[in-house]
Amino acid sequence: MMKKFFLIFSILISFLILGCQSEQMKKFIVFGKWDGVYVAKKDAPFVLNFILLSDSPLTNVTSIDFPEISHAIDDMQYDLIKGDKYKDFQLFNIAVNLRLKEVSSATLSKITLIFDQKYKETFPIGQIKLAVDEKGIFTPQNEYVTAYPNTQFFQAKLKNVSKHTIQIKRVTVENTYLQTKDVKINDKSEKQSVSPNETINMYFTLAEKTEQNAHFYIVSPKIEYELAGKASSTYIDPVFYGVTNLTKEKLDDILKQN
């Protein structure tokens, strides 16, 4: 599934707008802001994408770092992908495959670019919480959509792969700026009993909590349930919002942050 994410974004970002930059040449670099909660299964990589605009090329970016979690990174590969020109700026995507050591969670809010193996500059990227969880009791069925253009809705077929009947109590997201609305399971209220091996259809819409928001979102829907009278929870595979829909309005808003 993670490899599939990486391929999806490599294809989707291929239409976007690698180049040369020295310490003296660098003038303007700004990243789009993320609001993300990314819950990955144990031993699976986190597949991340960072969109940025620069007024100069970036061919002498020799490495990247996430200073807040450097100590926790077990392995990381990245590609700096050149996109289109927008106004007087070059559009780039940094596609990252990241594995963590034996830590249960970490939070990213900054990325560091290293130029010519010596000069560094750190940029804000919003906030992405990375968490590792055991295998969930719900497995996505059929074509599970991992990328939506806008934060409008989520829908999926999910199979209860446990040996137990569970009672779903609530479906939420833990993002800073998003919340679930109108949750339906099999076209009914979210509070439902689900038998072993039963497949359900889940649907909900997403609404922004405040006027403040992010440019891009990673959502890992959380299902709170009850089993044999005991409360518990599980996460569904992460979904990306906004990366496939880089409108002029969104790019202008990113540029305004500098």
Side-chain angles (χ1 to χ4, degrees), residues 76-187:
M76 180 174 68
Q77 293 90 37
Y78 79 94
D79 283 318
L80 181 58
I81 302 166
K82 183 180 179 181
D84 295 324
K85 283 277 190 178
Y86 181 69
K87 296 182 176 179
D88 295 325
F89 302 95
Q90 187 74 53
L91 191 59
F92 294 89
N93 170 41
I94 300 179
V96 180
N97 269 25
L98 177 68
R99 292 180 183 271
L100 296 178
K101 297 176 182 177
E102 293 298 319
V103 295
S104 58
S105 65
T107 299
L108 302 178
S109 66
K110 303 173 184 177
I111 186 172
T112 297
L113 303 185
I114 297 94
F115 303 92
D116 297 318
Q117 299 182 346
K118 58 181 180 180
Y119 172 71
K120 300 180 180 181
E121 185 160 351
T122 300
F123 305 90
I125 54 175
Q127 180 170 291
I128 302 176
K129 179 183 178 181
L130 306 178
V132 178
D133 194 26
E134 297 296 331
K135 183 177 180 181
I137 64 170
F138 282 102
T139 298
Q141 303 294 295
N142 300 331
E143 294 298 322
Y144 184 76
V145 179
T146 59
Y148 290 90
N150 301 302
T151 52
Q152 296 173 337
F153 62 89
F154 168 90
Q155 59 183 358
K157 286 187 176 182
L158 305 169
K159 183 179 181 179
N160 177 6
V161 295
S162 75
K163 299 178 181 179
H164 307 282
T165 296
I166 66 171
Q167 182 71 34
I168 295 178
K169 295 298 184 182
R170 196 162 69 123
V171 179
T172 61
V173 296
E174 297 177 332
N175 295 68
T176 301
Y177 302 126
L178 295 178
Q179 59 188 345
T180 57
K181 290 182 63 178
D182 303 321
V183 179
K184 299 293 182 184
I185 297 175
N186 295 333
D187 295 324

Side-chain angles (χ1 to χ4, degrees), residues 194-237:
V194 184
S195 303
N197 296 314
E198 181 181 351
T199 297
I200 61 172
N201 292 297
M202 178 180 291
Y203 175 90
F204 59 77
T205 57
L206 289 164
E208 293 174 351
K209 294 180 181 178
T210 64
E211 291 184 2
Q212 185 179 13
N213 52 53
H215 301 111
F216 312 108
Y217 295 91
I218 304 172
V219 175
S220 295
K222 181 180 181 182
I223 300 177
E224 298 178 28
Y225 65 92
E226 187 176 286
L227 172 60
K230 183 179 178 180
S232 190
S233 62
T234 187
Y235 292 90
I236 310 172
D237 290 353

